[in-house]
Amino acid sequence: MNENAAKSHPTASERLSVARRVVLKIGSTLLIGPDGTVNRKWLSGFATDTAQLKAAGSEVIIVTSGAVALGRRRLGLSGRLRLEEKQAAAAAGQAHLVEAWQDAFSPHGVCVAQLLLTLEDTEHRKRYLNARATLETLIDLGATPLINENDTVATAEIRYGDNDRLAAHSAQMAGADLLILFSDVDGLYTADPRLVKNAEHIPHVNDITPAIEAMASDPNHETDAGTGGMTAKLAAARIATTAGACVIVARGSGDRPINALKAGARATVFNPQSTPERARRQWIGGRLKPAGSIHIDDGAALALSRGASLLPAGVIRIDGDFAKGDAVSVIGPENDLLGQGLCAYGAIDARLIAGRKSEDIEAILGYRRRSAMIHRDDLALIVRLKGKAP
């Protein structure tokens, strides 16, 4: 038995049954048929499975490929595309792609909402925070976010390169606890099962070691529909598991791939290295340089120790010149560093609402935003306060 596998690990079915927020990645080869059109029968079954997941209480985000594959047919393009042709194909195919997804979900009363991202949207903090806020709002409103790379503007220098990595970064951004990468194979093998007859399936992976990386085949042959392979999926799994998500690589070519997983279909489960909450707080508290500081009173310090957000009413003073979304230090009443968080307001507006009640924010600033100056999900405490655990 492979050292990464162990019977005590939860199965793919068990992981799926308890997932709070799930990212589902669909590649072009699953979604687009040989004739270059949407495989609507497959998509209908996938939408039914997804709607059942949502009805059971899971929040679902979909990362989809297919715009370029659809657009190239509509524009009469073939073979390997130049960058400009790929951008044009994406522009021509994007509307058709979203229409197909909405048609599949409409019978279930599910609204899909498109988000087009580039690498810069997850690498630059302010754009990352804006995209994350949009995701959270869509989920709160009951919509299903439909994410794709914005190939109409992305260049070679600012592309994810494949939607496996885009899905991993989306899972990280959304704080998902499960990412499922649907593929044309049912997981990781000791060698490419299409080439090596006795290749063994790997059901669980604890750590993505060099030995595990050596098992991945080179990217699948590039077709008119898409690119990618197990190497890209391992790279995506490393990103997502570090961010606290479990990753499942599963076969997606059946009519009902999610239901197949529920029923125990074979897959590879990559175990998370943390939790989404812990990973996010480590990022906030350990990797971001504070651009200013917020001084708070005893009441606010006690509230933070109990897991509350930082409200303007508990703020005594604002130091520094920071923008909305910047990291700031949180300073206690005894001038002690309590933690670090992402401020929902820039320094100018933060000074205007400091010490005021949350219901007064709109009247003071002329616009409505969060009631908290630092939301508890954007706060990393570094000390124990009043004997309470952070």
Side-chain angles (χ1 to χ4, degrees), residues 45-74:
F46 185 84
T48 298
D49 283 358
T50 303
Q52 291 174 352
L53 264 185
K54 288 172 66 72
S58 294
E59 299 167 343
V60 178
I61 297 167
I62 297 172
V63 176
T64 179
S65 302
V68 173
L70 290 172
R72 67 190 298 156
R73 178 178 182 272
R74 296 168 75 88

Side-chain angles (χ1 to χ4, degrees), residues 236-381:
R238 184 185 299 279
I239 294 167
T241 55
T242 301
C246 171
V247 177
I248 297 173
V249 177
R251 187 184 301 278
S253 53
D255 288 339
R256 302 285 295 275
I258 299 175
N259 267 10
L261 271 182
K262 289 180 179 178
R266 188 158 66 172
T268 297
V269 178
F270 295 82
N271 296 313
Q273 304 301 306
S274 182
T275 66
E277 296 79 14
R278 186 180 302 126
R280 178 168 172 76
R281 287 191 169 93
Q282 287 173 343
W283 173 68
I284 292 171
R287 294 184 57 190
L288 301 181
K289 181 179 179 180
S293 60
I294 296 178
H295 295 254
I296 65 175
D297 61 24
D298 281 314
L302 181 59
L304 295 187
S305 74
R306 293 172 173 170
S309 299
L310 176 60
L311 303 180
V315 175
I316 300 171
R317 189 176 86 242
I318 304 292
D319 290 335
D321 182 17
F322 52 86
K324 169 192 169 186
D326 277 347
V328 294
S329 300
V330 179
I331 309 299
E334 299 178 3
N335 206 37
D336 49 334
L337 177 63
L338 305 182
Q340 187 162 294
L342 305 181
C343 192
Y345 297 87
I348 295 175
D349 288 349
R351 288 188 178 94
L352 291 175
I353 62 175
R356 306 295 291 270
K357 294 181 179 179
S358 296
E359 53 263 34
D360 296 334
I361 293 176
E362 186 172 4
I364 296 170
L365 300 181
Y367 64 88
R368 181 182 177 186
R369 195 177 284 168
R370 278 181 169 183
S371 60
M373 193 170 288
I374 301 178
H375 191 274
R376 63 183 180 182
D377 292 343
D378 295 330
L379 178 66
L381 295 180

